[in-house]
């Protein structure tokens, strides 16, 4: 989730508040293909991610692209993506209903490590997360298309002058970001209930991670994600679930005050 937000911010300089709803759409699409249709779970997860990617490109084309160059683009895209979030959540409730749904797990059983016990599905997610991050890094560093995204993020005008298709780069960034959200939703759909509002809490945590690590850096986002996850686990153990979100937001505020570019970002 956080890496998807980071990709959009790095390339376009905007926050996509529909990111959590795209995660929910990915989960619902995967559930539809796996349960009613009967496709294998890995196929459903892949299709959920691709479906979310396609919807992300549509959002960029209809709700973000018309405002490129507008001096109030950041504020406008906040409103348009928030509107997209509401439309998708209400639309999902109309299509799939309000009844709780859940995907089967990739692997059944549990794994014990020291005194901790997790499900085998969660173990797969733990292994899959760094692989996905490594694949995104390789894409943005090793491929021409990925390097074009980084070039557009650094300077859009210069990128256009050397022949990079800037609108295509923007659409690609939104599609890649949405695919990551959809993949997240499809994987979490096996350990959480799938509901129209399931993306709200992960979106909030993803925003904290991106701000904590430093905007515009995928590596910083990855490091911050693991650090925030560890901090959250410790806070839940010491303070409980009720106070943990408050402390996480407090940490984010402190970071913004003393390190506006994030813990892993450079100094201003």
């Amino acid at each position: 989730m956080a890496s998807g937000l980071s990709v959009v911010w790095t390339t376009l300089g905007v926050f996509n508040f529909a990111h959590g709803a795209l995660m929910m759409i990915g989960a619902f699409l995967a559930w539809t293909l796996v349960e009613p249709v009967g496709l294998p779970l890995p196929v459903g997860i892949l299709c959920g991610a691709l479906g979310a990617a396609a919807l992300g490109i549509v959002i960029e084309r209809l709700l973000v692209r018309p405002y490129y160059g507008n001096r109030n683009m950041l504020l406008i895209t906040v409103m348009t993506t928030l509107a997209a979030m509401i439309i998708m959540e209400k639309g999902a409730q109309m299509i799939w209903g309000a009844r709780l749904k859940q995907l089967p797990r990739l692997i059944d059983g549990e794994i014990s490590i020291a005194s901790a016990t997790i499900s085998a599905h969660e173990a797969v997610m733990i292994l899959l997360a760094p692989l996905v991050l490594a694949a995104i890094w390789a894409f943005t560093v090793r491929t021409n298309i990925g390097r074009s995204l980084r070039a557009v993020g650094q300077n859009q005008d210069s990128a256009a002058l050397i022949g990079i298709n800037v609108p295509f780069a923007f659409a690609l960034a939104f599609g890649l970001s949405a695919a990551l959200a959809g993949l997240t939703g499809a994987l979490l759909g096996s350990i959480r209930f799938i509901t129209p509002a399931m993306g709200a809490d992960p979106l909030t945590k993803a925003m904290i991670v991106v701000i904590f690590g430093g905007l515009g850096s995928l590596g910083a986002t990855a490091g911050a994600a693991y650090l925030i996850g560890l901090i959250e686990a410790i806070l839940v153990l010491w303070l409980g679930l009720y106070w943990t979100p408050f402390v996480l937001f407090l940490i984010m505020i402190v970071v913004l005050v003393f390190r506006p570019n994030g813990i892993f970002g450079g100094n201003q």
Side-chain angles (χ1 to χ4, degrees), residues 134-147 149 172 176:
I136 298 171
W137 175 85
F139 172 74
T140 56
V141 173
R142 303 294 185 184
T143 67
N144 290 332
I145 296 177
R147 285 193 289 265
L149 287 180
L172 178 62
L176 177 59

Side-chain angles (χ1 to χ4, degrees), residues 103-116:
L103 284 162
R105 301 190 177 193
L106 283 168
I107 302 176
D108 293 325
E110 295 181 340
I111 295 177
S112 297
I113 303 175
S115 59

Side-chain angles (χ1 to χ4, degrees), residues 12 21 33 43-44 91 104 116 148 152-153 165 186 206 208 216 221 241 254-255:
L12 286 84
L33 294 174
V43 175
S148 70
V152 170
N165 189 335
I208 293 174
T221 300
L241 288 171
V254 172
V255 169

Side-chain angles (χ1 to χ4, degrees), residues 42-64:
V43 175
I45 292 175
L46 178 61
C47 291
L50 293 177
L55 188 55
I57 293 174
V58 171
I59 291 174
E60 185 276 336
R61 184 65 182 87
L62 298 180
L63 301 180
V64 179

Side-chain angles (χ1 to χ4, degrees), residues 53-255:
L55 188 55
I57 293 174
V58 171
I59 291 174
E60 185 276 336
R61 184 65 182 87
L62 298 180
L63 301 180
V64 179
R65 186 175 298 187
Y67 307 106
Y68 290 154
N70 191 301
R71 64 178 183 177
N72 296 318
M73 178 182 174
L74 183 59
L75 178 61
I76 293 173
T77 53
V78 167
M79 293 186 291
T80 56
T81 54
L82 278 173
M85 176 195 72
I86 295 172
I87 292 171
M88 284 190 287
E89 288 184 354
K90 301 304 180 183
Q93 186 167 349
M94 293 175 62
I95 295 172
W96 286 286
R99 180 177 295 180
L100 301 177
K101 298 173 177 61
Q102 194 169 33
L103 284 162
R105 301 190 177 193
L106 283 168
I107 302 176
D108 293 325
E110 295 181 340
I111 295 177
S112 297
I113 303 175
S115 59
T117 301
I118 61 173
S119 68
H121 180 88
E122 290 173 309
V124 171
M125 294 173 62
I126 291 173
L127 295 175
L128 187 61
L131 294 177
V132 171
L133 292 173
I136 298 171
W137 175 85
F139 172 74
T140 56
V141 173
R142 303 294 185 184
T143 67
N144 290 332
I145 296 177
R147 285 193 289 265
S148 70
L149 287 180
R150 297 170 61 200
V152 170
Q154 291 177 8
N155 192 307
Q156 297 177 16
D157 295 332
S158 298
L161 286 174
I162 63 174
I164 294 176
N165 189 335
V166 175
F168 172 78
F170 287 161
L172 178 62
F174 251 84
L176 177 59
S177 171
L180 292 169
L183 177 63
T184 304
L187 290 172
L188 287 180
S190 297
I191 58 177
R192 296 185 182 181
F193 288 116
I194 302 174
T195 67
M198 69 174 293
D201 182 60
L203 175 63
T204 302
K205 292 180 181 178
M207 291 178 61
I208 293 174
V209 166
V210 172
I211 294 172
F212 184 84
L215 294 170
S217 173
L218 186 61
T221 300
Y226 284 103
L227 186 57
I228 287 293
L230 182 61
I231 292 173
E232 182 182 19
I234 294 173
L235 290 174
V236 170
L237 179 63
W238 288 354
L239 302 178
L241 288 171
Y242 183 81
W243 287 101
T244 295
F246 166 77
V247 177
L248 287 177
F249 274 105
L250 183 62
I251 292 173
M252 184 185 70
I253 293 171
V254 172
V255 169

